[in-house]
Amino acid sequence: MVSPTQRANTSSNNKFNTSLNVSLDTSKYEAKTQEIAKKILSGNEKGSFWSKLSQLKDELRLDDKLMAWTMENEGLRVQLFRLIDCLPALQSKAEIARHMQEYLASDAVEVPALRALLNFSTDNPNSIPATAAATTLSTAVATLAKRYICGENLSEATKSIEKLRRDRFGFTMDLLGEAVISEVEAGEYLNRYIGMMEDLSNKAKNWGLIEQIDKADGEELKRVQVSVKLSAFYSQFDPLDPVKTTEKVSEPARILLRKAKELGCGIHFDMEQYEFKSLTLQILKQVLIEPEFRDRTDVGITLQGYLRDSEQDLYELVEWAKLRGKPVTVRLVKGAYWDRETIRSYQQGWALPVFSDKVSTDANYERLIQILLENHQYLYAAIGSHNARSLAKAIAIVQTLNIPSRAFETQCLYGMGDKFAKAIADMGYRVRVYCPFGDLIPGMSYLIRRLLENTANSSFLRISGEGVDIGKLIAAPMMTERDVNYNGAPALNVFDGFVNSSDRDYAINEEREAAQTALQQVRRQLGKTYLPIVNGQAVETEAYIESVNPANSSQVVGKIGLASIDQAEAAVKSAKSAFASWKKLSAKERGDILRKAADIMEEKREELIAWICWEVAKPIREGDGEVSEAIDFCRYYAKEMERLESGVQRNLPGEDNTYIYQPRGVVVVISPWNFPLAIALGMSVAAIAAGNTVILKPAEQSSVIGAKIAEVLQAAGLPTGVFTYLPAKGSTVGAHLVKHPDVHLIAFTGSQQVGCQIVTEASILRPKQKHMKRVIAEMGGKNGIIIDESADLDQAVVGVMNSAFGFAGQKCSACSRAIVLAPVYDNFMERLVEATRSLKVGEAHLPGTKLSAVIDGAAQQNILNYIAKGKETATLAFEGEVPNHGFYVPPTIFGDVDPDSAIAQEEIFGPVLAVIKAQSFDEALAIANGTNFALTGGLYSRTPSHIERAYREFEVGNLYINRGITGALVDRHPFGGFKLSGIGSKAGGRDYLLQFLEPRSITENTQRQGFAPLDGIE
């Protein structure tokens, strides 16, 4: 057996390097472990009658038969669980029947008999077959839910736990609900727990003492225990903002601990996703060592055995407990979010925090059991597992070391591992059952996790019921080679040789500190002067402007020298001269320079994030994503040009045909302020990769970042004249460049008004102009997200809110319209308003800020004018509060919006959301498509036919389903729209570079006097 801390580690950035090399003799308990495991698997010690009865009962369970059926067909398993997931949102038998058809009669299931069974019409909601099918499914799912959820309300749950006590099982109660998305919901969560403790503690007064579970070593234990999620106390729980998160979470935790002491209840704190783990442990250690709580031993903390750094966390808890002087309980679980953690790591390109193989988790879990129990004088152990081998290992250590009963118990989930739990209880040990209760809708994600666990190929409960050889079943688990040798390398997705750059993981303390350090370092550099760079030299200017921090308009970020028309002429001349030699370089030679630029930006990531934060008031996490995009543009376009350079051959005997590309010439890039690094650099390096030369005229509000682009490209070795940094007035110098006869292409991102003007001016043939100009113009959108009646509102509310108010709504991809079907409109609106109310508005450099200022005073006034129009034509649902300095606009939500009104049709480019009610999905699609734009759009739905229709009918360039509509990634989500959203191909896509190239076809007759090479002819 190998410790995760002993694995090979070749990466200096391995965040799972615990630096521990603790030798642990895991073999000394093996013989006793095997003996006890056999006893657990064979049933209880008092005879076989009850075990046979239990087995017969299990064999007759219809829900077990259904689960067994799904295990034989992966397609059915996936579709059935997806159907179950959306079932609570469906409000009629007809809807349930229709969804049964769409999920279970699909090609993905491949069960013809099932398809035939579901061959009924749902047109008539009262049809007998449809009603019968819907009723059967609803009943079956309700049965499943009752198996894993101990009640829909506290009264039902109390009956369940009282029965558990009669069977000599303790309990810990958990209130179902995965997502707290507003401070109102966080407050309700705390109050519901307090109410639950009060109710249960009153009932507990009538419960008789059961020695096995209520007493240990002469100490009477708390009969009522509840399990809580620390993250549910604060809707903005964020590792990036540990100070505010700690402040907001600690006080509710104290309130709960005080109430628990008053009522005589135990409190156990659960663990959720990995990104919250370190901060959760930090907060709990801090609170539980305070004088008021330092002597409490009725408190528990959870560790997850599937995490690679769990051993380090446990050793640190041991040292903390020694310092504290009184034990707390550590609940060891294997972890319930493996799929989520793995998927997230692959999507983000991060190291895998979890072991890749189940057997490795089992091996690590046994190590943790041993470490915990061998430190029983400092920490109590609660071994939460349904694996008879793992449980036996714990009991073997307990027996060998004669560990006091107060320091040890086992735990299991309600409805799972019942036979093992009974066998252990019959041995005289304390067994506690984790009892979730609550409504099915908030409990659905919990139910799905249980179903996935029970039907997974690696599930011990499943394997143990399949007649596997007992020797194999209880053999000591060994870590797999890939987990032993894992060195913290990121999970990479490689498509045609390209890998997206990874954003920072701010759950890691070092990365948070690096971001804050860079912000302060850059802050000390504010106020410098930046001049145009023409032919490789900075040139003095007559006119200057100041670029200010929008969130604090008295803070000057930089003084910008504005180029004159004469300097623009010199810039064009320099670019034209450099083009002659630049175009002759190979795609690889040009690409190597761009790849070096990408490497420089990766090294300077924190610094670039800081400049973006200070100059355009973009919050840290969003600035990080922008730097990743800029890096990706460099690497992707370099790779793509190498692909295109090879051309296409269509050769025949006697004739060679070649299709190749050549660069166009001088390209003018007119970039916006909202993505001052990514868009400006992306358009520029696309042109450069293709062999063109570039003049960048950045937006006046973000010209300092334009200067930083010039610094990066110069440091990467770009030859003089290939890239010119030319800050200038758009109305004068910008217009002059558009009209210039030596300019071949204009790449523009900005407003529709300016974009259309550029198209018009560029179409005019000027004197001495020998080519037709090409224009690439991305001109914004009026983007809508549809939320239908089957949507997961936890996801939809957060997705709409983040898409609407991220970077104060100043993204061309931002959501400005939410189109909500009538059945869920009121619930959606209520939750959206409260979630938005909970967003922190403030200066962008502060780690807790989710929404900062808009770019300048003109933008501020324009948006406020639209808000005033909205108040005249719609219902103001929410208008937030903002600071009184800087260019802030309150996050604003309008309800009952007319789809044809100004706030529903015109691009506002600010934190203003119009919510529109639709009576049907047809109407929702019509509203979504009913603007002049077609950039981004989204759909939150669990109805397959709606998703299929959105694929076909939703008129947008970028469609996002069941996720937010911002944050497009190079190559994975090529970005761009149509209609009045722009002209040109998608940025970050396979055909984007073609716009910067001229195609050529060359045909050569290779026949000489009747002779020609005959290669390829057989």
Side-chain angles (χ1 to χ4, degrees):
M1 192 179 301
V2 181
S3 163
T5 61
Q6 295 173 312
R7 66 186 178 275
N9 180 8
T10 60
S11 171
S12 60
N13 294 320
N14 182 4
K15 65 181 177 180
F16 306 116
N17 179 16
T18 65
S19 73
L20 297 171
N21 287 288
V22 180
S23 176
L24 205 64
D25 181 2
T26 59
S27 63
K28 58 185 176 182
Y29 306 109
E30 186 58 29
K32 189 175 282 290
T33 297
Q34 297 264 341
E35 174 190 337
I36 296 170
K38 291 175 183 176
K39 194 176 293 185
I40 293 173
L41 286 169
S42 65
N44 64 61
E45 300 173 343
K46 297 180 180 179
S48 60
F49 173 76
W50 292 110
S51 59
K52 288 181 178 179
L53 184 63
S54 176
Q55 182 181 352
L56 178 62
K57 180 181 176 183
D58 287 344
E59 289 174 356
L60 294 174
R61 292 185 75 132
L62 181 61
D63 50 348
D64 277 344
K65 295 295 184 185
L66 180 61
M67 289 299 99
W69 191 24
T70 68
M71 287 187 282
E72 296 171 3
N73 185 313
E74 180 62 18
L76 174 59
R77 178 173 176 260
V78 170
Q79 292 297 93
L80 179 62
F81 289 177
R82 286 178 174 173
L83 173 60
I84 292 172
D85 175 50
C86 77
L87 189 65
L90 306 179
Q91 301 183 5
S92 70
K93 293 290 175 64
E95 278 296 292
I96 294 172
R98 181 164 68 87
H99 281 75
M100 288 181 70
Q101 280 189 324
E102 293 189 20
Y103 277 104
L104 303 183
S106 70
D107 292 339
V109 173
E110 297 179 346
V111 181
L114 186 59
R115 194 173 303 167
L117 188 65
L118 295 173
N119 187 26
F120 50 73
S121 171
T122 56
D123 294 337
N124 177 10
N126 297 314
S127 69
I128 294 174
T131 301
T135 302
T136 300
L137 179 67
S138 299
T139 302
V141 172
T143 302
L144 276 172
K146 288 177 181 177
R147 180 172 181 180
Y148 301 111
I149 297 172
C150 74
E152 288 192 51
N153 53 54
L154 195 53
S155 176
E156 290 182 8
T158 302
K159 292 177 183 177
S160 297
I161 61 176
E162 288 176 345
K163 182 181 184 304
L164 288 171
R165 285 183 56 80
R166 289 193 296 271
D167 292 336
R168 295 172 298 127
F169 295 124
F171 70 90
T172 182
M173 294 289 284
D174 171 46
L175 183 61
L176 284 172
E178 298 296 312
V180 170
I181 62 177
S182 71
E183 289 310 278
V184 167
E185 293 181 7
E188 290 174 350
Y189 182 87
L190 176 62
N191 290 334
R192 289 175 69 191
Y193 261 96
I194 291 173
M196 178 174 69
M197 289 194 303
E198 290 173 339
D199 191 271
L200 287 174
S201 62
N202 283 331
K203 289 183 170 61
K205 294 173 183 177
N206 299 318
W207 296 341
L209 178 74
I210 302 173
E211 288 275 347
Q212 186 170 335
I213 59 175
D214 295 335
K215 207 168 184 180
D217 305 322
E219 175 188 347
E220 196 162 324
L221 307 180
K222 301 292 190 289
R223 299 180 193 183
V224 174
Q225 186 187 100
V226 298
S227 292
V228 301
K229 303 173 182 68
L230 204 62
S231 63
F233 292 149
Y234 182 40
S235 65
Q236 306 302 305
F237 194 107
D238 188 353
L240 182 57
D241 187 19
V243 175
K244 179 60 71 173
T245 299
T246 299
E247 174 192 326
K248 288 288 189 178
V249 167
S250 296
E251 189 53 31
R254 294 185 188 105
I255 291 170
L256 206 62
L257 286 165
R258 291 179 190 127
K259 193 67 177 180
K261 182 177 182 180
E262 173 192 329
L263 297 171
C265 299
I267 297 285
H268 199 103
F269 293 96
D270 278 332
M271 193 65 72
E272 298 175 277
Q273 54 264 50
Y274 181 74
E275 63 189 302
F276 292 170
K277 185 263 296 179
S278 294
L279 186 53
T280 296
L281 289 173
Q282 177 185 315
I283 292 169
L284 290 174
K285 289 177 184 177
Q286 182 177 308
V287 170
L288 293 176
I289 209 165
E290 292 172 2
E292 182 181 0
F293 308 111
R294 190 164 188 158
D295 291 336
R296 296 279 290 274
T297 59
D298 55 354
V299 183
I301 295 173
T302 304
L303 291 182
Q304 298 159 311
Y306 64 9
L307 295 179
R308 296 177 186 273
D309 53 4
S310 55
E311 185 175 325
Q312 178 186 17
D313 290 333
L314 181 53
Y315 275 118
E316 289 175 358
L317 270 177
V318 170
E319 294 305 310
W320 169 81
K322 290 177 183 178
L323 177 66
R324 183 175 187 263
K326 292 283 186 178
V328 297
T329 297
V330 173
R331 176 191 289 154
L332 276 186
V333 298
K334 291 185 179 173
Y337 301 89
W338 187 91
D339 295 82
R340 180 193 184 280
E341 303 294 2
T342 302
I343 289 167
R344 180 172 169 79
S345 294
Y346 273 96
Q347 288 184 345
Q348 298 292 337
W350 290 345
L352 289 164
V354 293
F355 293 105
S356 296
D357 298 306
K358 175 66 165 58
V359 68
S360 299
T361 293
D362 290 341
N364 185 62
Y365 189 75
E366 289 197 11
R367 265 186 83 83
L368 298 178
I369 288 173
Q370 184 169 339
I371 295 166
L372 180 59
L373 289 172
E374 289 179 350
N375 286 278
H376 61 85
Q377 65 270 48
Y378 308 115
L379 293 170
Y380 298 150
I383 309 303
S385 176
H386 306 117
N387 183 316
R389 158 80 201 191
S390 301
L391 295 166
K393 176 68 175 280
I395 294 170
I397 299 172
V398 168
Q399 291 181 359
T400 302
L401 301 182
N402 196 25
I403 292 175
S405 62
R406 178 64 184 93
F408 172 71
E409 67 180 44
T410 68
Q411 296 190 356
C412 65
L413 296 172
Y414 185 84
M416 293 181 65
D418 299 354
K419 288 185 291 187
F420 300 161
K422 188 176 188 312
I424 293 171
D426 287 343
M427 293 178 192
Y429 295 104
R430 186 170 62 255
V431 178
R432 191 178 304 277
V433 180
Y434 187 94
C435 298
F437 84 97
D439 295 334
L440 194 55
I441 289 181
M444 187 49 63
S445 59
Y446 176 86
L447 176 59
I448 293 296
R449 287 201 300 274
R450 298 291 76 78
L451 296 179
L452 286 170
E453 185 175 345
N454 269 342
T455 58
N457 290 328
S458 57
S459 165
F460 188 92
L461 289 175
R462 175 182 173 181
I463 296 170
S464 63
E466 293 180 345
V468 176
D469 177 72
I470 194 168
K472 292 181 179 179
L473 201 59
I474 64 174
M478 301 292 292
M479 280 200 185
T480 60
E481 186 175 349
R482 65 170 172 171
D483 278 321
V484 169
N485 296 324
Y486 183 67
N487 62 5
L492 298 180
N493 302 287
V494 184
F495 298 106
D496 299 325
F498 174 74
V499 178
N500 289 99
S501 179
S502 301
D503 294 346
R504 290 295 192 231
D505 180 0
Y506 291 115
I508 300 171
N509 184 54
E510 292 77 10
E511 297 192 357
R512 291 197 304 270
E513 290 178 350
Q516 291 301 318
T517 299
L519 281 166
Q520 297 314 311
Q521 289 174 342
V522 168
R523 188 176 200 161
R524 293 192 286 270
Q525 300 176 46
L526 301 183
K528 293 182 179 180
T529 298
Y530 299 88
L531 298 173
I533 299 175
V534 178
N535 201 27
Q537 299 296 318
V539 295
E540 293 291 339
T541 63
E542 295 181 0
Y544 291 85
I545 60 167
E546 289 183 340
S547 174
V548 301
N549 175 4
N552 182 3
S553 51
S554 64
Q555 186 176 53
V556 177
V557 176
K559 186 178 179 183
I560 311 299
L562 297 179
S564 65
I565 288 179
D566 287 344
Q567 288 167 332
E569 280 290 333
V572 174
K573 182 178 179 181
S574 171
K576 185 177 180 181
S577 174
F579 175 66
S581 56
W582 179 247
K583 70 178 181 179
K584 294 178 182 177
L585 295 184
S586 69
K588 184 182 184 307
E589 289 172 309
R590 297 193 297 263
D592 285 344
I593 294 174
L594 298 185
R595 281 184 279 268
K596 186 174 181 181
D599 293 343
I600 292 170
M601 286 189 288
E602 195 69 82
E603 292 170 8
K604 293 178 173 288
R605 177 183 286 268
E606 277 69 36
E607 179 189 341
L608 292 170
I609 293 168
W611 282 111
I612 293 169
C613 180
W614 290 120
E615 189 169 31
V616 299
K618 182 171 286 191
I620 296 166
R621 193 174 266 116
E622 300 214 34
D624 180 40
E626 179 169 353
V627 175
S628 293
E629 185 176 19
I631 292 168
D632 285 348
F633 278 136
C634 287
R635 292 172 177 161
Y636 182 75
Y637 291 145
K639 177 194 77 72
E640 280 298 288
M641 193 58 229
E642 290 170 11
R643 175 179 66 84
L644 291 170
E645 185 182 53
S646 62
V648 178
Q649 299 290 136
R650 294 291 184 266
N651 297 340
L652 306 172
E655 180 179 291
D656 285 356
N657 297 289
T658 305
Y659 189 81
I660 58 172
Y661 299 96
Q662 67 181 30
R664 290 177 176 270
V666 177
V667 173
V668 170
V669 172
I670 302 174
S671 62
W673 49 260
N674 65 328
F675 283 85
L677 179 70
I679 293 180
L681 187 77
M683 293 191 293
S684 297
V685 298
I688 290 168
N692 304 284
T693 54
V694 169
I695 299 169
L696 170 65
K697 194 213 81 63
E700 295 166 35
Q701 301 95 324
S702 59
S703 291
V704 171
I705 296 165
K708 298 301 167 184
I709 293 174
E711 290 175 10
V712 167
L713 294 178
Q714 186 175 22
L718 204 63
T720 298
V722 174
F723 177 83
T724 299
Y725 166 62
L726 200 75
K729 285 284 184 183
S731 57
T732 54
V733 172
H736 179 76
L737 290 171
V738 168
K739 298 173 184 177
H740 201 288
D742 288 334
V743 169
H744 288 72
L745 186 148
I746 301 102
F748 167 80
T749 298
S751 71
Q752 179 186 324
Q753 177 187 356
V754 175
C756 290
Q757 185 178 344
I758 289 173
V759 170
T760 300
E761 293 291 347
S763 68
I764 299 172
L765 191 63
R766 311 286 174 179
K768 298 183 180 180
Q769 182 176 320
K770 299 178 181 179
H771 54 270
M772 295 304 296
K773 293 178 184 175
R774 180 75 178 263
V775 175
I776 303 167
E778 195 273 277
M779 300 184 294
K782 190 66 182 174
N783 312 305
I785 297 178
I786 296 173
I787 299 94
D788 76 6
E789 59 269 64
S790 70
D792 182 330
L793 291 190
D794 285 350
Q795 291 183 5
V797 170
V798 174
V800 168
M801 178 181 69
N802 290 340
S803 298
F805 301 119
F807 190 38
Q810 299 173 113
K811 303 177 186 179
C812 47
S813 58
C815 172
S816 56
R817 298 178 301 149
I819 303 152
V820 187
L821 266 66
V824 295
Y825 179 89
D826 291 340
N827 189 10
F828 174 84
M829 277 292 286
E830 180 182 352
R831 298 191 71 194
L832 176 68
V833 165
E834 292 305 327
T836 306
R837 193 190 308 278
S838 303
L839 292 178
K840 186 176 184 299
V841 179
E843 295 190 46
H845 71 283
L846 300 174
T849 294
K850 297 297 191 293
L851 188 152
S852 193
V854 299
I855 191 64
D856 58 22
Q860 179 189 44
Q861 189 56 54
N862 181 60
I863 299 164
L864 291 174
N865 290 342
Y866 271 106
I867 291 174
K869 288 181 184 178
K871 290 177 180 178
E872 295 173 358
T873 61
T875 301
L876 179 66
F878 174 72
E879 187 173 21
E881 297 180 358
V882 295
N884 56 11
H885 61 273
F887 307 121
Y888 289 92
V889 173
T892 305
I893 301 171
F894 288 103
D896 304 315
V897 176
D898 182 341
D900 297 320
S901 65
I903 61 171
Q905 287 290 319
E906 298 172 16
E907 186 176 35
I908 300 173
F909 222 65
V912 181
L913 178 66
V915 185
I916 304 166
K917 184 186 294 185
Q919 298 301 320
S920 67
F921 190 70
D922 286 340
E923 183 185 3
L925 269 177
I927 293 170
N929 292 334
T931 74
N932 295 330
F933 299 95
L935 187 54
T936 65
L939 168 65
Y940 280 92
S941 173
R942 289 176 287 190
T943 301
S945 59
H946 288 179
I947 294 172
E948 183 182 341
R949 286 189 63 190
Y951 267 80
R952 298 194 315 265
E953 301 175 33
F954 206 142
E955 296 175 358
V956 290
N958 284 67
L959 176 63
Y960 298 93
I961 296 171
N962 291 322
R963 54 150 287 173
I965 65 172
T966 63
L969 297 178
V970 172
D971 188 43
R972 274 156 62 179
H973 321 131
F975 187 78
F978 50 95
K979 291 165 70 172
L980 291 185
S981 287
I983 53 174
S985 188
K986 286 178 168 294
R990 287 177 66 83
D991 43 7
Y992 187 71
L993 288 189
L994 297 179
Q995 303 167 116
F996 296 88
L997 297 163
E998 299 277 14
R1000 298 179 61 207
S1001 175
I1002 302 169
T1003 299
E1004 178 185 357
N1005 175 13
T1006 58
Q1007 190 173 213
R1008 298 289 187 274
Q1009 303 298 329
F1011 166 77
L1014 299 178
D1015 294 344
I1017 295 181
E1018 296 182 1

